[in-house]
Amino acid sequence: MNLIRSKASFLIMCLALVAVCAIAAPAQSGRRQPKAPSVAPVPTPTPEATPEPAKQEKRSELAFIIASERYSGLESYPLSYYDAVMAGCSGRLRSASSATVDVSQNDISRGDAIKKAKAETTTYVVLVKLKLDEMTARSYDDLEVEFTLFAPETGKVVTFGTAYQNVNQAGPISTGPRTRGANGPMYREQFLKRAGEDVAQRILKALHLDNVPVVH
């Protein structure tokens, strides 16, 4: 009798366990599963722009060296007068062409200028010299500027001439010495500077580069 009760109790416990599992299963299946945390997308690195190489300006092959013969004569003149002539000449050459212009501060003789020109390949040598005509000159107001242009490699003379202190000078044609009236070294230097511009203008004409007018 006890055995029958034991079996009955065990059977009831099994049925109860099956019923509990049957009820729990739908509950577990209906439970919402938690979502996995979203992962932020990894940004694609933007390639840096490659900087363009800086463009180098092409340097003109044409060049000039302006020098002066200061101490070859018996009489010497203020160095500022030579500086004024070379400043006018170099400024004019630069403004009228793409040429490179160097101004020498050393005294150069004609022979040295020829040697220097022969040693160059594309650089012309301009030699200037102040001169005072002893027959007609009365003061430094009558100073004249003699110039010679030497060709590179050969050292041959391309052009030469004389420029005067004349405020009315125009282009490559020189007039006579300027009219007297204004005195003083500083004032005279301005006229010598213009004489240097006249030298440059005639050089440009000889090289067929005289398409820019002189501006005083």
Side-chain angles (χ1 to χ4, degrees), residues 82-109:
Y82 280 99
D83 292 339
V85 172
M86 292 191 291
C89 184
S90 61
R92 173 60 183 147
L93 291 175
R94 289 192 185 100
S95 65
S97 67
S98 58
T100 302
V101 183
D102 292 325
V103 178
S104 175
Q105 299 300 323
N106 300 324
D107 176 70
I108 296 180
S109 66

Side-chain angles (χ1 to χ4, degrees), residues 138-215:
R138 299 180 182 179
S139 69
Y140 281 171
D141 291 339
D142 298 317
L143 275 174
E144 302 170 353
V145 181
E146 292 184 341
F147 72 92
T148 308
L149 177 66
F150 299 99
E153 295 185 338
T154 64
K156 292 183 178 180
V157 175
V158 178
T159 186
F160 65 95
T162 304
Y164 303 94
Q165 298 182 65
N166 192 319
V167 70
N168 296 319
Q169 61 188 345
I173 302 175
S174 296
T175 61
R178 70 177 180 85
T179 304
R180 297 176 180 79
N183 298 317
M186 294 184 64
Y187 196 81
R188 188 177 297 114
E189 287 171 10
Q190 293 302 313
F191 283 102
L192 289 171
K193 183 178 179 181
R194 294 188 181 184
E197 292 174 352
D198 181 45
V199 170
Q201 181 67 13
R202 283 197 258 178
I203 290 173
L204 294 170
K205 182 177 178 60
L207 299 178
H208 307 289
L209 298 172
D210 57 332
N211 57 339
V212 180
V214 176
V215 179

